[in-house]
Amino acid sequence: MGKVHMRVYRGNSEGGQLKDYNVQAEEGMVVLDVIHKIQATQSSDLACRWNCKAGKCGSCSAEINGKPRLMCMTRMNEFKEDEIITVMPMKTFPIMKDLATDVSFNYEINKRIPPFTPVEGADWHWEQEDVDRVQEFRKCIECFLCQDTCHVLRDHDKMAKFAGPRFFVRIASLEMHPIDALDRTALLKNEHGIGLCNITKCCTEVCPESIHITDNAIIPLKERVVDKYYDPLRILWNKVFGK
Amino acid sequence: MSDNYQSFEYDVLVIGAGGAGLRAAIEASAAGCKTGLVCKSLLGKAHTVMAEGGIAAALATVDSRDSWQQHFVDSMIGGNLGNHWRMAQIHAQQSPDRVRELEKWGAVFDRTNDGKGNINVRHFGGHTYKRLAHVGDRTGLELIRTLQDKGVHSGIEVHMECTIYSLMKDGDRIAGAYGYFRETGRPVLFKAKSIVISTGGIGKLYFINSNSWECAGDGFGLSYLAGAELADMEYIQFHPTGMVWPPSVRGLLITEGVRGEGGVLKNNQGERFMFKYIPAKYQGKYAETEAEADAWFKKVVIDGVKEETVKERKPPELMSRDVVARALWNEIKEGRGTEHGGVYLDIASHRSAEDIKKKLPSMYHQFKQLADVDITKVPMETGPTCHYMMGGVKVDPETQMSNVPGLFAAGECAAGMHGSNRLGGNSLSDLVVFGKLAGEHAAIYAKKLRDFPKIDESKLAGLNKEMNQPFENQGGEVSYKILADLQHIMEKGAGMFREEPTMDQCLKDLEGLKERVKKVTAEGNRMFNPGWHVALDLRNMLAVGEAIVRAAKERKESRGGHTRTDFTGYSKDFAKKRVVVRQKGDKMEVVREDLPQIPKELEAELINAHMLKPEVLKQLRGEA
Amino acid sequence: MAMDVRTKRGLGVTLRKDAWWLEPLFYQCLFGGFVVYATWAALNPYGPNGKAYYEYGPYLSPMFSPFFNPDWLHKLPAWLATPALLVLWAPAGFRGTCYYYRKAYYRSIFMDPPGCAVGESCVKYQGESKFFIFQNIHRYFFYVALLFIFVLSWDAILAMMWPVNGIGPDNHSNLGPKEFGVGVGTIVMALNAYLLGGYTLGCHAFRHLVGGGLDFLRVKKNNPIRFALWSVVTKLNERHMQWALVSMLWVGFTDFYIRMCAMGVWHDVRFFGFINKIGHIFGAAT
Ligand SMILES: Cc1cc2nc3c(=O)[nH]c(=O)nc-3n(C[C@H](O)[C@H](O)[C@H](O)COP(=O)(O)OP(=O)(O)OC[C@H]3O[C@@H](n4cnc5c(N)ncnc54)[C@H](O)[C@@H]3O)c2cc1C
Ligand code: SF4
Ligand code: SF4
Ligand code: FES
Ligand code: FES
């Protein structure tokens, strides 16, 4: 087998540039293997995150040839043999070093989402169909690729006003839980800025867990916001029937 | 190089944010203690996230015959009586509550389809009944996410990407921990009244393993160097089904759920070989012909018939891991393996493509994406992979405290619960059961202390210098090279099969490595530098490696995860002993201690209830 | 100092190597083409001598259905006085506020973003929280669209009733009894109603209305009907994009087909109903 050509971003908060590496190819390699090989044989201080190497932990997010993806789930044989493969850190978040970025923004948002709060005296028996929706959202591995690709954060820097797709998924998992007692609709509209999302679905396209972020989480939540704030008949109905 | 360290104070400091650490921190915080949590990765990425199959608890939602007693017996027999009986008992008794508690905190388990809407449970090796609560094949993710969300909303302070390098003591008792932030390389001191170690396993000591880079045995090394005793270090679980091809995924786990859902093991002649390997302790409990196994499978798994009404017995693929792994190894050794040195695991012939995708979605994707194999059509290739450390810090079963006052341990890095072999699903339940206990007792201990123990801060400069050494060293090797050699040495000397001469050689090789580690070199600076991080991890890894080999040399019999080719079979002399390793001066001391035995009344009760067979007890005690 | 590739921004800035611009280009052509055709068709309901181009015998173009031609309409400037004006606002409003179309035109027309992980020109961005807040009216358009499915289905049924006395030069059916018959146009119109149904019933607002708004507790036991409805709508919704595009193109084609018949460019092929008698009875009753 031949060599593979990688162009990896090296740098930190002060700046950086792309650096070329040539590595001996092996059967079945993924991009993360190549990065590891670079660490072992050429640049032991090349920073990158990983844990499971099986697409389960969401640590190894990066941008490969410009596309936000997991390095451990991107096979090298997807690329042409002499192609130069560019690996960049996620663009939306501040860089720490090389491929590692500072994703603390996401952890801060999560703290501001009121946690699961069961109805008092709830009945804990329910059917699979009752939780299928919620389980889809709970598949999220927090790779933050959706956050990275969402243009509201990526290009418009609305970190202060916009929670981002990952956290709409999180809120959806709570709001649609059969026995959750809280109503987070006001929060969604005001603090988490769901109105800023223009449903362009880039988040759905990059999600490695194939969660239908836009169709199953964001849009249904938007409809709930409409119920509460924009639909005059519905608002009237709720007033009359006291909801 | 920065000598100026950051400093924090906590009543309870939890090291490790896997299932055990998070559960401990939640408990300590709920008890009113100021609680800190440190972990090497980002929060929610700990190795627990990879657990797939499920969490074992005698909920009896599907099979009403299940009980804590049966779970206890299964764990003890699965562990070949090497378990601390009391831990196994606490575990079996408390795990159902812990699982229900997870649900109250927001975990969403799969449901039964009998119209009652209970938590569904599935089969796993060595469990008599269906017992594993699960969420598809991503149970670990559900567990860690639930605990993480619970944790961040209960006031725990989390320090992510921070590695603890050394535990600090005040005289005999624990006083704090010292380490560095991975991003900046800046040192940090945590003063603490009590510490819970929950740093997970040791998989990274072996070349073929199913673990993440975090599993470098830190907790074992840290505790050992702080004077704690380690027990059962010879018991290492090699999971029978790891991927073998392509090389880049070698060792990656294929969940036992594949066998639970109908996967069968075959050799290169197409023979379903497990029927040949049913050991005496499982005789009569597993199917003896293919027809019987298939009939059981069709009734119980496909048609959902209640198992108690089925006369056929389970397929032998569902025996405990040590048994299956040894069988596999034997087939491969005797030349009946596959082209890449594994055996076949075939589910395509037993389930429809649709079922496979629904029941085992991540396995389907794992093979499709990483190996170009469609498991709904062709069999997988599989071979043993280093998976789990049964041994660890020796703790008191009721409080989880080690012999060092104020130092607690829980999860994979604590010893006793699983004996010589862990049953699938028993780890996740171990994490929450003993995580809770550790947190609770660490809080009680911390509350008893009025003042913080004293830390001799003059020692810190020395430690920092030690950490900085790889940058000072000139012309040494890169850490990755040494790590790879270590992995091969361990694989050879203390792998699945062990014998005196290779272990002696292994010890010598480890000595050699120690010298190389002293000269290990790191390039660049302290900012997010993986090469440097690995260089620092090597110290713990060497200590753990040595402990494993020395313990393995001491146990001159074969039991569960410890198989010796020069001492096959159970030995009477070792059945009631556990091997303990501790530091004496700068030497490692190995001693044999009495292993507490199941009380006579309990034993009699279980025998009367037909859960435990006296012959089996005799046999496992080497008395048969 | 060399520009840092990481921080570079602006319209079209990306390291993607694939032809990401193909998608917006495709939609620009598709939507542009459709809008041009629809406008032209709407503004040209009649040919020379008052010849109707929007209908041909029993066939009525969906762009003009339900057909109204009130007197006041003709007080408007002549070029604007088309019956389509009274119809098209509804489908236009429905599609214009449809979640799928929004995605498509925010991307391809507003270039916000032009593609995933592709840079854009950073104007002041408010998403759907300020100007585009009107999109929240979508469910009301949905209610109207629901009526349209009935109207267009009825049109398809009427398209099976042929005037025994033939079609006049102005393309209206001649007076007199009707008989059952099916022509290519009938099938085109039926398909149109079907496709619109598939598109409309897969609407996100509808999905929310029938069951999505519930938290689903014990849905099987307490809300079996809503659960079933929700499941069906969800199935349709999974292919909402495909339904949206095909139904849009088919509306255009239906109009085009009828127009071509009306202009005499081609002849509608008619298969008569195999039980012609029943056709007569049916026709006589109308
Ligand atoms: C692929 C796979 C599948 C599995 N499936 C199952 C299953 O289905 N059922 C089951 O019961 N078990 C399963 N297991 C086993 C189970 O997942 C683990 O045993 C368990 O998760 C260990 O949890 P833990 O909390 O002890 O440690 P871990 O989850 O390993 O967490 C260790 C934590 O300690 C931190 N840490 C380590 N060293 C340091 C240090 N020096 N300083 C600071 N922090 C440190 C790490 O950052 C991490 O946060 C599986 C294991 C694997 C590998
Ligand atoms: S659909 Fe919304 S959240 Fe998702 S990427 Fe687009 S704007 Fe962001
Ligand atoms: S929703 Fe998908 S893309 Fe976003 S963080 Fe979760 S797994 Fe990643
Ligand atoms: S390393 Fe876990 S997702 Fe890639
Ligand atoms: S969402 Fe497309 S029609 Fe309503």
Side-chain angles (χ1 to χ4, degrees):
Chain A
M1 270 196 185
K3 296 234 171 212
V4 293
H5 310 282
M6 280 264 181
R7 188 165 281 173
V8 185
Y9 186 83
R10 302 296 312 265
N12 53 34
S13 57
E14 278 149 29
Q17 69 266 329
L18 288 164
K19 198 162 178 264
D20 285 356
Y21 296 93
N22 291 327
V23 174
Q24 184 61 42
E26 262 174 40
E27 173 144 5
M29 262 189 162
V30 293
V31 170
L32 185 61
D33 288 319
V34 181
I35 297 290
H36 282 165
K37 218 157 179 188
I38 294 173
Q39 287 179 329
T41 56
Q42 302 181 39
S43 286
S44 68
D45 63 342
L46 168 61
C48 96
R49 290 199 181 98
W50 69 284
N51 277 62
C52 67
K53 225 175 149 280
K56 292 195 175 114
C57 70
S59 305
C60 63
S61 310
E63 296 182 8
I64 302 164
N65 278 352
K67 286 194 182 172
R69 307 181 65 169
L70 295 178
M71 289 192 278
C72 69
M73 295 307 268
T74 308
R75 296 261 310 232
M76 291 302 289
N77 62 8
E78 264 181 47
F79 306 102
K80 287 196 269 334
E81 202 145 295
D82 48 0
E83 190 174 345
I84 296 178
I85 300 149
T86 318
V87 186
M88 295 279 295
M90 291 193 280
K91 186 170 186 175
T92 301
F93 307 112
I95 191 165
M96 281 179 168
K97 190 180 152 205
D98 306 338
L99 300 177
T101 52
D102 176 2
V103 292
S104 53
F105 158 72
N106 300 293
Y107 289 91
E108 290 308 315
I109 297 271
N110 196 27
K111 280 189 200 153
R112 303 211 311 261
I113 298 174
F116 175 61
T117 313
V119 182
E120 253 184 74
D123 172 4
W124 291 89
H125 297 81
W126 52 65
E127 301 289 322
Q128 186 59 39
E129 282 91 342
D130 291 325
V131 289
D132 274 341
R133 280 196 306 183
V134 173
Q135 284 190 336
E136 177 185 11
F137 305 140
R138 294 188 66 90
K139 282 195 311 195
C140 170
I141 54 173
E142 298 209 321
C143 62
F144 305 130
L145 286 172
C146 55
Q147 304 284 85
D148 176 47
T149 199
C150 175
H151 71 127
V152 182
L153 300 168
R154 189 184 178 95
D155 296 289
H156 302 296
D157 301 322
K158 298 274 183 200
M159 318 293 187
K161 291 188 178 148
F162 185 66
R166 153 66 188 130
F167 296 100
F168 296 138
V169 168
R170 164 95 183 118
I171 293 176
S173 79
L174 295 165
E175 286 294 278
M176 296 179 200
H177 193 294
I179 57 161
D180 179 74
L182 301 184
D183 178 2
R184 300 169 187 78
T185 322
L187 200 72
L188 262 176
K189 174 174 173 289
N190 302 323
E191 196 182 338
H192 294 315
I194 196 169
L196 286 170
C197 159
N198 66 353
I199 51 171
T200 38
K201 281 203 175 172
C202 288
C203 49
T204 308
E205 279 178 28
V206 298
C207 178
E209 286 289 301
S210 309
I211 300 172
H212 298 87
I213 304 177
T214 323
D215 285 342
N216 288 350
I218 299 182
I219 294 177
L221 290 176
K222 279 194 173 233
E223 284 295 317
R224 288 178 184 217
V225 172
V226 178
D227 274 354
K228 193 162 174 159
Y229 293 99
Y230 302 115
D231 181 346
L233 290 181
R234 185 65 191 244
I235 293 169
L236 195 70
W237 172 282
N238 288 350
K239 280 239 165 72
V240 175
F241 294 96
K243 210 192 136 191
Chain B
M1 163 173 163
S2 54
D3 263 331
N4 85 347
Y5 53 87
Q6 245 182 313
S7 165
F8 298 91
E9 263 184 17
Y10 295 109
D11 297 326
V12 178
L13 178 73
V14 180
I15 305 176
L22 278 161
R23 188 61 191 84
I26 290 170
E27 199 63 22
S29 170
C33 285
K34 188 175 176 216
T35 307
L37 180 62
V38 284
C39 53
K40 291 201 284 190
S41 289
L42 295 171
L43 187 60
K45 312 286 181 204
H47 180 66
T48 301
V49 84
M50 294 169 72
E52 293 160 349
I55 171 166
L59 294 161
T61 51
V62 170
D63 201 320
S64 56
R65 293 172 299 178
D66 205 3
S67 59
W68 77 257
Q69 286 90 343
Q70 186 66 57
H71 192 180
F72 169 70
V73 170
D74 290 348
S75 305
M76 293 295 297
I77 300 294
N80 303 297
L81 299 186
N83 327 49
H84 191 307
W85 73 274
R86 179 62 185 144
M87 284 180 86
Q89 186 190 35
I90 292 175
H91 168 261
Q93 286 172 328
Q94 300 187 359
S95 52
D97 281 344
R98 293 287 83 75
V99 171
R100 282 188 284 263
E101 174 180 78
L102 285 171
E103 193 170 59
K104 302 250 143 63
W105 291 349
V108 183
F109 291 105
D110 287 356
R111 318 307 297 185
T112 56
N113 55 7
D114 56 0
K116 295 202 191 103
N118 280 313
I119 294 178
N120 200 5
V121 287
R122 67 158 56 121
H123 256 298
F124 244 50
H127 292 283
T128 304
Y129 305 118
K130 288 191 178 180
R131 191 178 283 148
L132 267 70
H134 58 273
V135 186
D137 50 8
R138 50 167 193 85
T139 314
L141 172 65
E142 190 69 18
L143 183 108
I144 204 162
R145 201 63 82 232
T146 303
L147 294 174
Q148 175 187 347
D149 285 324
K150 174 79 183 163
V152 296
H153 289 102
S154 46
I156 299 164
E157 283 179 35
V158 185
H159 301 275
M160 297 195 258
E161 303 204 303
C162 172
T163 305
I164 298 301
Y165 181 73
S166 178
L167 296 177
M168 310 298 297
K169 294 210 310 188
D170 174 4
D172 271 349
R173 59 186 181 151
I174 209 73
Y178 180 75
Y180 60 93
F181 286 108
R182 300 172 75 82
E183 183 195 352
T184 54
R186 185 170 176 201
V188 55
L189 173 68
F190 298 96
K191 298 180 187 163
K193 292 179 181 165
S194 60
I195 289 186
V196 179
I197 296 266
S198 47
T199 51
I202 55 108
K204 274 289 160 278
L205 262 77
Y206 288 81
F207 187 64
I208 299 175
N209 71 75
S210 65
N211 288 194
S212 101
W213 64 268
E214 292 194 306
C215 303
D218 291 15
F220 307 82
L222 292 171
S223 314
Y224 166 80
L225 293 174
E229 293 177 333
L230 305 181
D232 304 340
M233 293 300 282
E234 68 278 25
Y235 295 139
I236 293 173
Q237 182 168 75
F238 289 83
H239 196 292
T241 56
M243 288 175 80
V244 294
W245 192 257
S248 72
V249 293
R250 186 152 196 147
L252 201 63
L253 195 73
I254 305 171
T255 174
E256 197 170 324
V258 173
R259 279 172 284 145
E261 294 295 345
V264 298
L265 292 165
K266 291 181 184 159
N267 60 22
N268 66 6
Q269 280 135 29
E271 180 198 6
R272 213 172 141 181
F273 56 82
M274 279 311 297
F275 297 100
K276 296 187 299 198
Y277 294 96
I278 303 176
K281 70 171 176 171
Y282 286 142
Q283 215 85 59
K285 289 187 87 176
Y286 287 86
E288 277 154 33
T289 63
E290 224 169 295
E292 182 183 359
D294 284 348
W296 179 91
F297 165 73
K298 183 167 177 311
K299 289 182 187 165
V300 175
V301 181
I302 303 273
D303 302 340
V305 177
K306 280 222 177 296
E307 214 184 326
E308 48 259 61
T309 64
V310 173
K311 64 175 191 311
E312 285 86 0
R313 293 160 296 181
K314 310 194 255 286
E317 275 88 2
L318 293 178
M319 289 188 295
S320 62
R321 288 178 183 165
D322 51 341
V323 178
V324 182
R326 275 196 299 268
L328 238 99
W329 189 257
N330 201 48
E331 289 293 310
I332 299 167
K333 202 178 68 192
E334 294 182 358
R336 291 186 294 276
T338 66
E339 143 191 31
H340 301 115
V343 299
Y344 292 112
L345 172 59
D346 177 16
I347 187 163
S349 63
H350 276 69
R351 294 305 288 262
S352 70
E354 205 178 300
D355 279 0
I356 296 173
K357 285 185 204 165
K358 187 145 182 260
K359 296 276 178 185
L360 303 159
S362 42
M363 278 306 110
Y364 173 74
H365 281 121
Q366 186 170 313
F367 273 87
K368 191 98 198 138
Q369 288 195 313
L370 297 177
D372 274 335
V373 167
D374 183 349
I375 64 168
T376 65
K377 298 210 176 77
V378 293
M380 302 159 239
E381 276 184 76
T382 169
T385 175
C386 176
H387 184 59
Y388 188 86
M389 175 48 135
M390 269 75 70
V393 180
K394 193 181 127 198
V395 291
D396 173 71
E398 315 286 338
T399 64
Q400 297 289 298
M401 190 156 92
S402 69
N403 59 315
V404 177
L407 182 64
F408 298 75
E412 189 167 342
C413 65
M417 161 62 217
H418 306 288
S420 66
N421 172 56
R422 170 177 75 90
L423 295 186
N426 266 3
S427 169
L428 291 186
S429 41
D430 165 3
L431 305 185
V432 278
V433 167
F434 294 108
K436 175 181 186 290
L437 288 181
E440 185 180 322
H441 290 279
I444 293 172
Y445 176 94
K447 281 183 181 166
K448 279 195 214 135
L449 296 190
R450 273 202 29 241
D451 303 313
F452 276 86
K454 297 259 171 315
I455 288 181
D456 180 1
E457 302 201 11
S458 65
K459 283 201 182 128
L460 300 181
L463 281 171
N464 193 38
K465 188 154 179 296
E466 208 177 300
M467 294 202 298
N468 217 46
Q469 197 56 42
F471 295 110
E472 314 288 326
N473 288 343
Q474 300 295 326
E477 296 162 284
V478 200
S479 51
Y480 291 103
K481 176 86 185 55
I482 305 181
L483 174 61
D485 287 351
L486 170 68
Q487 291 174 329
H488 287 293
I489 288 171
M490 290 302 292
E491 194 94 40
K492 242 192 358 232
M496 263 184 82
F497 294 93
R498 301 154 181 187
E499 57 187 0
E500 204 70 23
T502 45
M503 285 193 283
D504 286 334
Q505 182 58 41
C506 183
L507 278 180
K508 272 200 210 107
D509 292 343
L510 288 175
E511 276 313 307
L513 279 188
K514 271 187 200 158
E515 291 311 307
R516 287 165 62 190
V517 169
K518 279 186 195 145
K519 291 195 243 92
V520 61
T521 306
E523 63 177 304
N525 57 31
R526 282 172 81 146
M527 269 177 69
F528 216 123
N529 186 340
W532 177 53
H533 299 159
V534 171
L536 297 186
D537 289 347
L538 285 171
R539 182 198 53 168
N540 289 326
M541 291 173 109
L542 281 177
V544 177
E546 186 180 339
I548 292 170
V549 183
R550 289 200 189 277
K553 269 167 62 77
E554 182 70 16
R555 185 170 287 277
K556 295 182 176 41
E557 64 159 357
S558 292
R559 188 176 289 272
H562 171 66
T563 309
R564 291 193 55 153
T565 45
D566 46 0
F567 295 96
T568 54
Y570 303 110
S571 144
K572 197 161 165 249
D573 301 338
F574 286 90
K576 296 183 176 177
K577 298 279 179 207
R578 76 197 304 198
V579 177
V580 171
V581 172
R582 60 177 166 239
Q583 201 179 22
K584 192 160 194 200
D586 55 0
K587 283 264 173 312
M588 193 175 275
E589 186 185 49
V590 185
V591 291
R592 250 183 256 176
E593 283 183 1
D594 287 337
L595 177 66
Q597 296 294 303
I598 310 179
K600 281 282 163 273
E601 316 80 77
L602 180 58
E603 194 174 298
E605 197 187 310
L606 296 170
I607 290 173
N608 280 339
H610 302 289
M611 290 182 188
L612 204 52
K613 289 201 191 117
E615 319 75 276
V616 171
L617 285 179
K618 266 212 176 115
Q619 191 214 344
L620 293 177
R621 286 174 181 154
E623 294 159 359
Chain C
M1 199 185 95
M3 182 74 184
D4 191 331
V5 275
R6 211 183 104 78
T7 45
K8 208 166 142 206
R9 292 193 169 195
L11 185 64
V13 169
T14 183
L15 286 170
R16 276 176 70 169
K17 288 182 168 174
D18 53 340
W20 59 267
W21 42 268
L22 215 58
E23 191 194 295
L25 188 68
F26 170 77
Y27 283 116
Q28 282 157 8
C29 297
L30 188 73
F31 293 155
F34 184 81
V35 168
V36 168
Y37 176 80
T39 316
W40 174 79
L43 295 180
N44 290 288
Y46 298 105
N49 310 324
K51 201 173 162 114
Y53 278 177
Y54 58 83
E55 77 170 2
Y56 177 70
Y59 300 157
L60 173 62
S61 159
M63 293 203 191
F64 293 84
S65 177
F67 188 80
F68 297 113
N69 200 1
D71 288 343
W72 62 260
L73 188 63
H74 297 279
K75 298 205 176 86
L76 296 175
W79 63 270
L80 193 61
T82 164
L85 198 63
L86 302 180
V87 174
L88 282 188
W89 61 270
F94 183 48
R95 288 188 190 250
T97 57
C98 162
Y99 284 99
Y100 163 67
Y101 282 94
R102 276 143 77 179
K103 168 207 166 187
Y105 64 72
Y106 287 138
R107 277 204 199 182
S108 53
I109 311 291
F110 291 90
M111 296 280 174
D112 204 356
C116 300
V118 176
E120 50 190 76
S121 49
C122 284
V123 285
K124 217 168 162 275
Y125 176 82
Q126 300 293 352
E128 300 193 320
S129 68
K130 289 274 154 62
F131 173 71
F132 283 111
I133 209 159
F134 68 82
Q135 307 278 30
N136 289 318
I137 203 171
H138 180 61
R139 55 176 65 172
Y140 286 90
F141 280 114
F142 166 78
Y143 303 141
V144 179
L146 209 52
L147 291 179
F148 269 68
I149 307 181
F150 290 107
V151 171
L152 292 172
S153 307
W154 185 241
D155 283 349
I157 292 170
L158 290 183
M160 292 189 272
M161 277 173 248
W162 290 84
V164 174
N165 297 335
I167 299 167
D170 56 359
N171 286 331
H172 298 311
S173 297
N174 287 332
L175 292 178
K178 304 266 168 76
E179 64 178 358
F180 175 76
V182 172
V184 173
T186 317
I187 296 170
V188 170
M189 285 176 67
L191 215 53
N192 182 49
Y194 169 76
L195 291 171
L196 274 178
Y199 167 59
T200 309
L201 296 179
C203 170
H204 279 284
F206 190 44
R207 186 174 178 226
H208 173 74
L209 189 78
V210 293
L214 299 175
D215 287 342
F216 272 67
L217 182 59
R218 290 304 183 80
V219 81
K220 277 283 264 274
K221 289 193 183 121
N222 295 346
N223 290 304
I225 299 174
R226 292 188 73 177
F227 180 72
L229 272 173
W230 179 82
S231 308
V232 173
V233 175
T234 298
K235 270 268 163 291
L236 287 173
N237 184 272
E238 280 164 14
R239 299 240 165 282
H240 196 52
M241 170 179 107
Q242 285 85 341
W243 285 106
L245 292 179
V246 175
S247 67
M248 179 183 88
L249 290 174
W250 202 257
V251 168
F253 179 72
T254 310
D255 177 84
F256 181 73
Y257 182 86
I258 294 168
R259 191 169 287 264
M260 289 300 112
C261 294
M263 289 168 81
V265 175
W266 59 46
H267 284 282
D268 183 49
V269 179
R270 196 186 317 168
F271 338 95
F272 276 95
F274 61 98
I275 334 171
N276 222 357
K277 282 239 178 68
I278 297 185
H280 272 291
I281 299 163
F282 196 43
T286 357

